[in-house]
Each structure stands twice: as C-alpha cells, then as structure tokens.
Amino acid sequence: MMHGQDWDGEQDLTGWIMSEKLDGFRAFWNGSNLISRTGKILPVPAEFTHGLPSDVCLDGEIWAGYDAFSALFSLFKTNYTGDINRWQNIKYCVFDAPMHPGNYAERHAFAVKSISSRSPHIDIIPIVHCLGLKHLQTILNEITQRKGEGIMLYNPSAKYTSGRTPNLLKVKVAEEEDVKFIKLNPNSYSFLCEQQNGVQCVVKCSGWEYSFPPSPGATLTVKHHGLSLASQKMKYPFLIK
C-alpha cells in the first residue's frame, strides 16, 4: 500500500489533487478479498463487497461515517462481522487503483469505471485540484466542521508506489503517529508498543487484530489525543492501521 507523509505546512500544493481523508480501516481489494494494512484478510460479509470487480485491484477505506470509528472498531472487536445487518451504515470508500500505470487522476477515473454496479456499501471518494493555500484551508475547515479527519494530497504526475512517499501528503485534523509493536498485552485486547519518543504505551485493538498480531518490530499507526504532560504517553491510543 502507498502511505503518505505529513505536509510540512510550507510546500506549495497548487495543482495537487485533494481527497478527503476518512477515519476508518484501510483496505486493499485484491479481486476477491479486502486485505488489511498488515496483510490479513478482513472478515466482512460477502454482500458487502458485491459489485467490486474480480479483475481489478482497488485501494480504499472501510468507513462507518463521521465520528463513528468507535462503532466500526466495536464491530470488528465483537466478531459480528458476518452479519450484514450490522453493516447497513458502513461503506468501502474507494480512492485508488494501484495496478493502473497512470497518474492519480487516471487511476481514480479507472477505479470509478471498474465498479460496474454500485452497491449501497461501495462509494468513490471525490477528488478536486488544489487551487492554493486558501483553497486547501477552506476545504479543511469544511471537513473539520463535519468532524472529518483531514485531507490527502496527491502529486498529480506521480504513479502508485508502495510504502511512504513524498508524492502523497497528509493534512490532518486528528493526531496520528507510528509506533513499534512489542508484544501482546495479556488479558486485554491491546498491544504493548513503543512510541517515537521511546516511551512504551498500551494501544487498544480489536479482538480480530489481537488474534492475528503483527510481528515484533512492525510499524503500526495509532490515533491518539495528545501526550500526557507527566508521562509523555499518548492519551487513549488505539490502532487504526
């Protein structure tokens, strides 16, 4: 999967392509299954992926709506992922076609065309060209007002590449940080991880993620609410990717 870097606040992004950054579970469609960032098959009902192409790979986000990540998190945690009735308000929001050789606008258009029959569980994240800093701030303010997470900006001429790249930038409302997985935390659905400042923290995860943990030393992305002044630990960290 391609992952973005944080925008430094100075680079001119005029002409780059903007799309909304959703607060959900990143998922890669390989033609038959949705795959998590760590390479595990995500347990979703068969009806949920109806309409996705069998011969095209897609990149997207499983999303439950604004300010609803906890509901989606609970769905995976309670292992009711096979019941389609619990997925009524959840969508797979597509934003890229990784195997297409073109630039981002071409890949996005190809992704739109590849979905022949749009189901209520499949959506396409719209895109718009950035007209400058004022335009970027206007869009970010609109997203903030509806409790969104931020904006992803794509270099308009760059191809899809795996890993973190300066051709994909994040402008975020919420705080995210990469941590290093150490081991499972006994007796609870959580991981023991190391923050970038060297402090260890306990990161909440779903029961499914706890059953299929990453390898020691793996990099994970968590969402949190800042650092505690006393301990420098993240406040309420939970795994998102």
Side-chain angles (χ1 to χ4, degrees):
M1 291 182 178
M2 183 165 68
H3 301 289
Q5 299 180 0
D6 290 329
W7 178 49
D8 61 9
E10 298 181 359
Q11 182 179 348
D12 183 6
L13 299 175
T14 302
W16 283 51
I17 300 175
M18 298 189 292
S19 70
E20 184 171 355
K21 186 179 190 299
L22 300 180
D23 187 14
F25 282 95
R26 182 77 175 273
F28 182 95
W29 173 252
N30 66 1
S32 56
N33 291 294
L34 288 170
I35 309 297
S36 74
R37 181 181 179 181
T38 57
K40 304 294 192 301
I41 295 177
L42 290 166
V44 302
E47 299 94 327
F48 184 74
T49 57
H50 178 73
L52 291 175
S54 60
D55 57 347
V56 174
C57 294
L58 299 170
D59 200 350
E61 196 93 0
I62 299 177
W63 188 58
Y66 295 109
D67 203 24
F69 180 82
S70 59
L72 182 61
F73 181 87
S74 296
L75 180 62
F76 280 101
K77 182 176 180 179
T78 53
N79 294 320
Y80 285 117
T81 52
D83 184 359
I84 190 61
N85 293 322
R86 293 176 177 266
W87 291 75
Q88 295 305 313
N89 298 319
I90 302 174
K91 295 183 178 182
Y92 179 54
C93 300
V94 177
F95 53 74
D96 211 333
M99 301 305 177
H100 190 279
N103 60 38
Y104 182 59
E106 293 169 339
R107 298 197 310 270
H108 188 274
F110 179 76
V112 173
K113 293 180 180 179
S114 71
I115 302 174
S116 56
S117 58
R118 191 75 60 83
S119 83
H121 296 292
I122 301 173
D123 205 355
I124 301 290
I125 301 179
I127 59 175
V128 62
H129 282 81
C130 180
L131 303 179
L133 179 58
K134 185 176 181 180
H135 185 207
L136 172 63
Q137 292 174 332
T138 298
I139 298 299
L140 186 61
N141 287 338
E142 292 174 355
I143 291 173
T144 302
Q145 289 174 6
R146 56 179 181 256
K147 298 184 178 181
E149 186 174 9
I151 299 173
M152 301 301 297
L153 290 111
Y154 296 78
N155 183 328
S157 61
K159 299 182 183 299
Y160 192 101
T161 56
S162 297
R164 295 208 178 273
T165 170
N167 291 316
L168 177 60
L169 300 177
K170 298 182 287 185
V171 181
K172 299 176 294 184
V173 177
E175 292 187 66
E176 290 181 11
E177 184 175 323
D178 287 346
V179 298
K180 184 184 297 184
F181 174 77
I182 299 176
K183 63 179 181 179
L184 293 174
N185 189 39
N187 304 319
S188 69
Y189 289 137
S190 60
F191 296 159
L192 181 64
C193 297
E194 181 178 329
Q195 299 172 188
Q196 293 181 14
N197 61 5
V199 175
Q200 292 186 358
C201 64
V202 175
V203 176
K204 291 184 179 180
C205 64
S206 69
W208 177 81
E209 289 164 332
Y210 190 86
S211 299
F212 300 94
S215 301
T219 298
L220 307 175
T221 302
V222 301
K223 185 174 180 178
H224 64 96
H225 299 276
L227 300 179
S228 168
L229 291 177
S231 66
Q232 288 299 295
K233 289 185 178 181
M234 295 177 181
K235 297 178 182 177
Y236 315 115
F238 55 89
L239 181 66
I240 57 173
K241 298 172 183 175

